[in-house]
Amino acid sequence: MDSSGNPIQVAGLKKSYGALAAVKGIDFEVSAGEVFGLLGPNGAGKTTTVEILEGLRSRSGGRVSVLGCDPEVQTKQLKDRVGVCLQSTRLQDKIKVREAIELFSALYTRTVDGVQLLKRLQLWEKREAQYATLSGGQKQRLALALAMINDPQVLFLDEPSAGLDPQARLEIHLLVQDLRQERRTILLTTHYIEEAEKLCDRVAIVDEGRIIAMGTPREIQERTLASSTIEIECERPVPAGDLPAWQNAEKVSLDDQRTRIAAVSTRPARTIVEMVKWLDEMGIELADIHIKRPSLEEAFIELTGKSLRE
Ligand code: ATP
């Protein structure tokens, strides 16, 4: 199953817990240096999928390969080469940050410099602090430090910023962006649309154990039927009278100064051409043009019929 050489390969993956089919046959591959996101509501099967890839759960069917290994069979070999940040990492309350790094370092054949790692994750000042005294953001940064200690080429991050305040979330995002710059392969799960949009090269939308859309966030947005809003600012007022019926344009409006035209369209590229052509025929120059595309959130709602914030 390693013909493409992609570090993460998943084909026809299935997982049932007794009578509950949590993952119902999913396929995706993550290429080297790519940040790939599994985006979906609670219970969609995201954690089940990543934990199978991490070798923490067995699968009921299908094939998976991580760095050419079957995680269920070559679990130990793989553990040395991947980084794992679980949805909730809980360490002993009394363990100090420095001790946690030392403890985890001993588990791998290859490790990075712990001091550098703590500095990089802004935990150096906290090295003698006990785990229980850390803030949520610091705990999560420590979890990421522990995931990076073996200098892994592949990282699994399960809900890396869940429950964090906006500042702590931003810090985690900056770190993931850094890891991406270093060309590491990252599979992350999230139920935050903005996170997927900001961090991921490609996203798979998972719902009820199936992938229902996959592509760059932009591609997924463009595939939706939701409408875009076009706003055109004119150099001088549009003459009195009705505006023409441009193709696919709905809710066409003009402001009181008659210089700003707005239209909603399901085919914005076509509508814009017509609008610009008409303005040109009228001898009116454009001052500005703006298209507001449907968001990934709108695409998500259209595809799943649900909101992620439910
Ligand atoms: P969340 O973001 O809430 O973790 P998720 O998309 O990661 O959601 P999973 O945790 O993979 O979803 O869960 C998928 C389904 O499988 C859910 O219905 C869940 O209740 C069920 N499930 C998960 N783990 C187990 C388990 N160990 N035993 C039984 N059912 C489980």
Side-chain angles (χ1 to χ4, degrees):
M1 188 178 172
D2 198 26
S3 56
S4 70
N6 281 332
I8 300 176
Q9 303 178 27
V10 178
L13 177 64
K14 290 188 180 151
K15 173 70 180 180
S16 298
Y17 299 105
L20 177 88
V23 175
K24 299 171 183 162
I26 67 173
D27 307 84
F28 67 91
E29 295 203 1
V30 186
S31 57
E34 187 176 36
V35 180
F36 189 91
L38 296 176
L39 174 70
N42 288 337
K46 308 179 298 292
T47 298
T48 299
T49 303
V50 284
E51 294 201 350
I52 288 170
L53 290 167
E54 291 161 3
L56 296 174
R57 296 191 200 199
S58 62
R59 59 187 184 270
S60 313
R63 290 171 299 155
V64 298
S65 154
V66 178
L67 293 168
C69 299
D70 179 336
E72 208 172 320
V73 182
Q74 292 143 297
T75 318
K76 268 201 177 141
Q77 192 181 331
L78 202 58
K79 200 169 153 271
D80 215 32
R81 300 172 63 198
V82 303
V84 171
C85 189
L86 298 174
Q87 200 168 88
S88 57
T89 304
R90 219 168 277 142
L91 300 177
Q92 273 182 315
D93 279 354
K94 289 211 157 65
I95 195 167
K96 292 178 179 167
V97 169
R98 173 183 51 78
E99 291 168 343
I101 295 285
E102 286 163 7
L103 186 71
F104 276 69
S105 293
L107 301 176
Y108 300 103
T109 54
R110 194 169 101 117
T111 54
V112 295
D113 179 32
V115 173
Q116 290 303 326
L117 193 59
L118 286 177
K119 286 186 175 164
R120 177 172 181 188
L121 285 138
Q122 298 159 47
L123 286 168
W124 181 242
E125 310 293 317
K126 287 280 169 190
R127 63 193 180 280
E128 297 301 330
Q130 291 184 346
Y131 183 69
T133 67
L134 301 178
S135 70
Q138 288 164 345
K139 281 182 178 156
Q140 194 57 7
R141 289 210 302 276
L142 178 59
L144 269 170
L146 298 175
M148 287 160 62
I149 206 144
N150 55 336
D151 194 20
Q153 258 331 100
V154 171
L155 275 144
F156 296 102
L157 311 177
D158 197 358
E159 300 274 0
S161 70
L164 300 182
D165 62 55
Q167 177 58 31
R169 181 169 302 157
L170 184 67
E171 283 168 10
I172 299 291
H173 288 177
L174 291 171
L175 249 163
V176 174
Q177 284 167 332
D178 262 13
L179 294 171
R180 177 171 179 239
Q181 289 283 319
E182 293 169 8
R183 303 270 309 143
R184 294 181 205 259
T185 306
I186 300 176
L187 176 62
L188 66 84
T189 74
T190 183
H191 62 266
Y192 295 121
I193 299 256
E194 319 78 65
E195 186 159 284
E197 220 159 11
K198 184 170 162 191
L199 299 180
C200 299
D201 297 302
R202 281 190 308 138
V203 171
I205 295 184
V206 188
D207 190 35
E208 295 179 10
R210 288 201 173 86
I211 290 179
I212 54 169
M214 184 155 61
T216 65
R218 178 86 191 243
E219 281 166 355
I220 295 175
Q221 278 163 249
E222 282 173 355
R223 244 179 272 149
T224 62
L225 297 170
S227 305
S228 299
T229 304
I230 305 160
E231 284 173 1
I232 293 184
E233 180 88 43
C234 306
E235 285 285 8
R236 63 179 176 80
V238 170
D242 287 344
L243 293 171
W246 295 301
Q247 264 194 68
N248 301 92
E250 291 165 29
K251 299 184 196 153
V252 180
S253 66
L254 197 56
D255 69 347
D256 290 346
Q257 283 77 43
R258 302 189 69 85
T259 54
R260 190 187 288 258
I261 311 171
V264 173
S265 173
T266 48
R267 306 277 303 266
R270 176 170 298 187
T271 308
I272 285 175
V273 170
E274 292 204 352
M275 291 171 87
V276 172
K277 221 164 104 190
W278 180 79
L279 288 167
D280 194 43
E281 281 164 12
M282 303 298 286
I284 299 170
E285 286 201 18
L286 289 183
D288 199 7
I289 187 159
H290 183 78
I291 310 173
K292 195 176 147 276
R293 295 188 170 280
S295 65
L296 190 58
E297 175 143 26
E298 284 168 297
F300 184 89
I301 293 167
E302 186 179 308
L303 288 161
T304 63
K306 26 183 120 131
S307 157
L308 274 178
R309 293 180 218 283
E310 262 168 18

